[in-house]
CSV table of all heavy atoms in Angstrom, one decimal:
chain,number,residue,atom,x,y,z
A,148,LYS,N,12.0,3.1,-4.4
A,148,LYS,CA,11.0,4.2,-4.3
A,148,LYS,C,11.6,5.2,-3.3
A,148,LYS,O,11.9,4.8,-2.2
A,148,LYS,CB,9.7,3.6,-3.8
A,148,LYS,CG,8.7,4.7,-3.5
A,148,LYS,CD,7.3,4.1,-3.5
A,148,LYS,CE,6.4,4.9,-2.5
A,148,LYS,NZ,5.0,4.4,-2.6
A,174,ASP,N,8.0,9.4,-4.6
A,174,ASP,CA,6.7,9.7,-3.9
A,174,ASP,C,6.9,11.0,-3.1
A,174,ASP,O,7.7,11.0,-2.2
A,174,ASP,CB,6.4,8.5,-3.0
A,174,ASP,CG,4.9,8.7,-2.4
A,174,ASP,OD1,4.3,9.7,-2.7
A,174,ASP,OD2,4.5,7.7,-1.7
A,176,ASN,N,4.3,12.4,-1.6
A,176,ASN,CA,3.2,12.5,-0.5
A,176,ASN,C,2.6,13.9,-0.4
A,176,ASN,O,2.5,14.5,0.7
A,176,ASN,CB,3.8,12.0,0.8
A,176,ASN,CG,4.0,10.5,0.9
A,176,ASN,OD1,5.1,10.1,0.8
A,176,ASN,ND2,2.9,9.8,1.0
A,200,GLU,N,4.8,9.8,-7.8
A,200,GLU,CA,3.6,9.5,-7.1
A,200,GLU,C,3.1,10.8,-6.3
A,200,GLU,O,3.9,11.4,-5.6
A,200,GLU,CB,3.9,8.3,-6.1
A,200,GLU,CG,2.6,7.7,-5.6
A,200,GLU,CD,3.0,6.5,-4.6
A,200,GLU,OE1,4.0,5.8,-4.9
A,200,GLU,OE2,2.3,6.4,-3.6
A,225,ASP,N,-2.0,8.6,-5.2
A,225,ASP,CA,-2.2,7.7,-4.0
A,225,ASP,C,-3.3,8.3,-3.1
A,225,ASP,O,-4.4,7.9,-3.0
A,225,ASP,CB,-0.9,7.5,-3.3
A,225,ASP,CG,-0.9,6.7,-2.1
A,225,ASP,OD1,-2.0,6.2,-1.7
A,225,ASP,OD2,0.1,6.4,-1.4
A,247,LYS,N,-4.4,0.7,-2.1
A,247,LYS,CA,-3.9,0.2,-0.8
A,247,LYS,C,-5.1,-0.4,-0.1
A,247,LYS,O,-6.2,0.3,0.0
A,247,LYS,CB,-3.3,1.3,0.0
A,247,LYS,CG,-2.0,1.8,-0.5
A,247,LYS,CD,-1.4,2.9,0.3
A,247,LYS,CE,-0.1,3.4,-0.2
A,247,LYS,NZ,0.3,4.6,0.5
B,1,MG,MG1,2.3,7.0,-1.7
Side-chain angles (χ1 to χ4, degrees):
K148 168 161 155 174
D174 188 357
N176 285 106
E200 194 181 323
D225 178 358
K247 291 178 179 168

